[in-house]
Amino acid sequence: MSSNQQEGFANPAPAGLVALAIACFAFFAVLSGSVGHSAIPLLGCWLLGGFIVQIVVAYIELKEGQLLGGNVFLVFAAFFMFTGSIEFFVKAYFNTVGGTPIDTQLDGYCWLVLLIILLLWTPAYLKTASAIMGLLVIFLDLGVFFVAFSDLKIMSGGVYAAYSLLITGIIGIYIAAAIQLNAAFGRTILPLPGPMIK
């Protein structure tokens, strides 16, 4: 524990980004076929853990007046993590309703809302966050695009979604490490350049 005391909350973004990276790596493993579908309940467990982290991050960011980050973490905590977790358990153990297979196209419509919101919020990230965070959001947009349209059965983009999310996770790890190391050393260890849009 740190002996440095300060007013308010410390920046919780590194924890939220680690949770996002774990989810992205896990989705990569499933969507790329690196692990079998028997791993789906385990993915549900990891997403449930990510929900706990991201809901706390959302609360702190909103409490500290971070409109964009707080809302993004809140939406992702609820739908990417919590709903995703429950869905994976449902799909693993209850794949039919009254003998009829669950129509998972509904997921595509819900992912479509997340895609539209992300696309509309992306310029705010490109204007206010580091260029590396802007890159993360762009690759996340791509991943969500391919997931949404795959679930809608309009296209098969599982592999594209997998690699977009893997890159998102790698960038998330970098940003989380940069925030922690730069704060600990009081200087730039890992650079986080300014926003893409001035």
Side-chain angles (χ1 to χ4, degrees), residues 9 13 17 31-32 42 44-45 50 65 68 74 76 83 85-86 104 115-116 121 125 153 161 168 172 179-180 197:
F9 292 104
L17 289 166
L31 292 170
S32 69
L42 298 178
C45 294
L68 181 60
L74 186 59
F76 271 74
T83 302
S85 175
I86 294 170
T104 58
L115 172 63
I116 292 166
W121 290 358
Y125 266 107
K153 302 192 182 349
T168 301
I179 294 169
Q180 295 284 41
I197 299 175

Side-chain angles (χ1 to χ4, degrees), residues 49-119:
F51 161 74
I52 294 167
V53 172
Q54 287 200 337
I55 196 74
V56 170
V57 173
Y59 172 78
I60 293 171
E61 290 225 345
L62 290 169
K63 185 91 170 147
E64 294 291 311
Q66 299 299 320
L67 178 69
L68 181 60
N71 278 284
V72 168
F73 277 114
L74 186 59
V75 166
F76 271 74
F79 301 111
F80 196 71
M81 298 292 185
F82 188 71
T83 302
S85 175
I86 294 170
E87 273 210 346
F88 285 119
F89 290 120
V90 168
K91 288 176 183 176
Y93 298 110
F94 310 101
N95 57 6
T96 63
V97 176
T100 303
I102 293 174
D103 186 352
T104 58
Q105 264 186 293
L106 178 66
D107 290 343
Y109 288 98
C110 297
W111 278 103
L112 191 57
V113 173
L114 293 176
L115 172 63
I116 292 166
I117 289 301
L118 271 175
L119 290 173

Side-chain angles (χ1 to χ4, degrees), residues 139-169:
F139 278 103
L140 186 57
D141 289 348
L142 286 170
V144 173
F145 171 85
F146 289 118
V147 168
F149 285 96
S150 292
D151 281 354
L152 285 168
K153 302 192 182 349
I154 293 172
M155 61 184 298
S156 62
V159 172
Y160 299 116
Y163 283 96
S164 297
L165 293 173
L166 178 64
I167 293 168
T168 301

